[in-house]
Amino acid sequence: EADIYQTPRYLVIGTGKKITLECSQTMGHDKMYWYQQDPGMELHLIHYSYGVNSTEKGDLSSESTVSRIRTEHFPLTLESARPSHTSQYLCASSETGSPTGELFFGEGSRLTVL
Amino acid sequence: SQKIEQNSEALNIQEGKTATLTCNYTNYSPAYLQWYRQDPGRGPVFLLLIRENEKEKRKERLKVTFDTTLKQSLFHITASQPADSATYLCAYASGGSYIPTFGRGTSLIVHP
């Protein structure tokens, strides 16, 4: 079982609120990722990190921001949530040099913005 | 740009039969393809990887093939069980970042 945790699992908030989705992993992985997934659709990469103090934007434009101050922690922040941000957010990590390139995913955070 | 395509229609099969799922890519051969399983409301779980120079990989009841001529990977589950019901995602990774790009997945429903 993967040691990667996301909180909250479910969040319903009003428009304009600031939210932070937490992601932590205890595997010591250097690489971490945030994907966004709508029902029946692909996972879209929105942010990734190669290690501490490294953050990059993914293929899908997102108004969210991320930080990587500690290896195990990769939070995602939305400064002002809007209904268009309603989605499932999945955090993942992987080991540099892994022979399979396997991504370990958290359970996801389902965000609903009213 | 590279696209990865999986059948959006659900696959319904009877318990005990072999399920075959398809993943097609559009342009260049990726360095490798991965297959993941995703249950409703959960994160994906890695199952298998196959590299572009490999034709077939097996793991227990799972088998993956990679045909660079057809630009296709097939994922087989033999002796399928109702517990195999889930969405199966194909992902490719190429030189450079090797960050997986995912298809939208195919839902498999195994009927008892």
Side-chain angles (χ1 to χ4, degrees), chain A residues 9-110:
Chain A
R9 286 292 312 278
Y10 304 94
L11 180 62
V12 180
I13 60 167
T15 296
K17 299 291 186 186
K18 176 180 178 179
I19 64 122
T20 296
L21 304 180
E22 303 285 351
C23 177
S24 294
Q25 51 97 4
T26 59
M27 296 172 283
H29 290 168
D30 286 328
K31 295 181 180 176
M32 295 190 74
Y33 316 83
W34 278 101
Y35 286 87
Q36 185 175 340
Q37 184 182 33
D38 293 316
M41 302 298 288
E42 302 93 327
L43 279 71
H44 290 288
L45 180 71
I46 52 174
H47 296 285
Y48 60 99
S49 167
Y50 286 127
V52 171
N53 294 325
S54 152
T55 61
E56 304 286 344
K57 287 189 181 296
D59 305 321
L60 182 68
S61 174
S62 174
E63 293 164 347
S64 58
T65 58
V66 291
S67 62
R68 190 90 184 274
I69 299 171
R70 302 199 315 265
T71 297
E72 63 271 22
H73 197 212
F74 192 41
L76 180 145
T77 298
L78 275 165
E79 290 293 332
S80 179
R82 293 207 298 269
S84 61
H85 296 138
T86 294
S87 191
Q88 164 100 318
Y89 293 84
L90 290 161
C91 180
S93 70
S94 68
E95 183 180 6
T96 301
S98 162
T100 63
E102 174 182 356
L103 262 58
F104 293 84
F105 283 89
E107 298 283 27
S109 292
R110 180 164 296 283

Side-chain angles (χ1 to χ4, degrees), chain B residues 15-33:
Chain B
E15 182 175 8
K17 301 290 186 186
T18 296
T20 299
L21 306 175
T22 304
C23 173
N24 295 297
Y25 57 93
T26 55
N27 295 329
Y28 50 86
S29 284
Y32 56 74
L33 288 165

Side-chain angles (χ1 to χ4, degrees), chain B residues 26-102:
Chain B
T26 55
N27 295 329
Y28 50 86
S29 284
Y32 56 74
L33 288 165
Q34 298 172 323
W35 285 87
Y36 291 77
R37 169 182 172 143
Q38 186 174 25
D39 290 290
R42 310 290 291 272
V45 175
F46 174 82
L47 296 173
L48 278 171
L49 169 139
I50 187 164
R51 300 182 191 284
E52 65 173 325
N53 61 350
E54 297 173 322
K55 292 213 178 306
E56 182 179 299
K57 287 286 269 299
R58 290 175 185 261
K59 178 181 175 183
E60 297 172 354
R61 294 184 297 112
L62 309 180
K63 184 177 86 171
V64 175
T65 62
F66 195 164
D67 188 325
T68 54
T69 302
L70 293 178
K71 297 188 178 180
Q72 182 179 83
S73 174
L74 297 179
F75 176 81
H76 306 272
I77 305 176
T78 57
S80 59
Q81 306 162 0
D84 295 326
S85 298
T87 296
Y88 291 87
L89 308 175
C90 175
Y92 78 85
S94 296
S97 68
Y98 288 101
I99 297 175
T101 298
F102 288 82

Side-chain angles (χ1 to χ4, degrees), chain A residues 40, chain B residues 5-11 22 104-107:
Chain B
E5 295 162 349
Q6 296 185 257
N7 194 341
S8 58
E9 282 185 28
L11 177 64
T22 304
R104 66 174 55 190
T106 298
S107 175

